[in-house]
Amino acid sequence: MLGAILFFACALVFAKYIRVTRAEKLDMGLADTVDVVRSAVESYATANKAAFQQGRTLMFVNDQYAPTIAELQTLGYLALTAGTNVANPFGSTYGVKLVVNPNQSITGLVYLNSSLLDALGKPDQNRSCRIARALLDKGVCTSPFNAGVLQNGTTQIANPSGQPAVVAALVFVSP
């Protein structure tokens, strides 16, 4: 009897380990996708830093500081074959915010416009923060206390989507 109980306990622990490992791999995959877009935006901002600092507009970009995914692809900063998780990341879309600061550095973020959802279709705060942690210091997620804020251990910024369970990656280009 004790052997059977021990066997089932071990089986339950192993099954939980498999579920957690699978979830972590999925979250790391989404973090990699967000990081690809963040890297493209950072390359775009670096290449156009002088124009931004002088207040000039750029052709083919609706908002001179924040291109869309399609504009990043058209301008050559993001591969056209980047995959569905770039064009339509898990049922959401990306938003981009970039700002030229008084010290001439460029800061901003790449964020999902809607919440990450769990299997029941409800916002999944834990998953969004696991993905943000996978992005290390560049990742931020919606605060569990205030959906209007994206945060990590050191940074707190306004949540442009206003949705709960949002993940974003920070962009920084030095002056």
Side-chain angles (χ1 to χ4, degrees):
M1 180 70 133
L2 184 59
I5 292 172
L6 185 59
F7 173 77
F8 284 114
C10 288
L12 287 173
V13 168
F14 184 69
K16 181 170 175 97
Y17 171 77
I18 295 295
R19 272 194 314 265
V20 168
T21 302
R22 185 176 299 143
E24 285 178 355
K25 285 182 181 181
L26 288 171
D27 295 343
M28 287 173 49
L30 181 54
D32 287 344
T33 302
V34 173
D35 199 42
V36 165
V37 177
R38 182 209 56 80
S39 179
V41 170
E42 207 163 82
S43 295
Y44 164 83
T46 300
N48 294 291
K49 179 169 65 171
F52 292 163
Q53 290 169 342
Q54 295 167 7
R56 293 195 330 241
T57 58
L58 301 176
M59 291 175 49
F60 308 119
V61 176
N62 292 328
D63 176 337
Q64 69 170 340
Y65 297 133
T68 64
I69 296 300
E71 289 167 336
L72 284 171
Q73 290 174 325
T74 300
L75 294 168
Y77 293 99
L78 189 60
L80 293 171
T81 58
T84 58
N85 288 342
V86 171
N88 184 19
F90 304 92
S92 184
T93 57
Y94 286 107
V96 177
K97 293 276 184 190
L98 291 175
V99 175
V100 178
N101 298 305
N103 70 355
Q104 299 301 303
S105 67
I106 299 170
T107 57
L109 67 148
V110 173
Y111 61 95
L112 292 179
N113 282 313
S114 60
S115 296
L116 292 174
L117 304 177
D118 63 14
L120 301 173
K122 295 182 181 177
D124 192 344
Q125 177 69 38
N126 291 327
R127 183 174 182 211
S128 69
C129 288
R130 284 193 313 264
I131 293 166
R133 278 192 296 279
L135 289 165
L136 303 174
D137 60 342
K138 294 178 183 167
V140 291
C141 62
T142 308
S143 166
F145 309 109
N146 180 357
V149 175
L150 296 172
Q151 66 182 20
N152 62 18
T154 58
T155 304
Q156 203 174 63
I157 56 176
N159 179 357
S161 75
Q163 300 292 315
V166 170
V167 65
L170 300 172
V171 173
F172 176 76
V173 177
S174 63

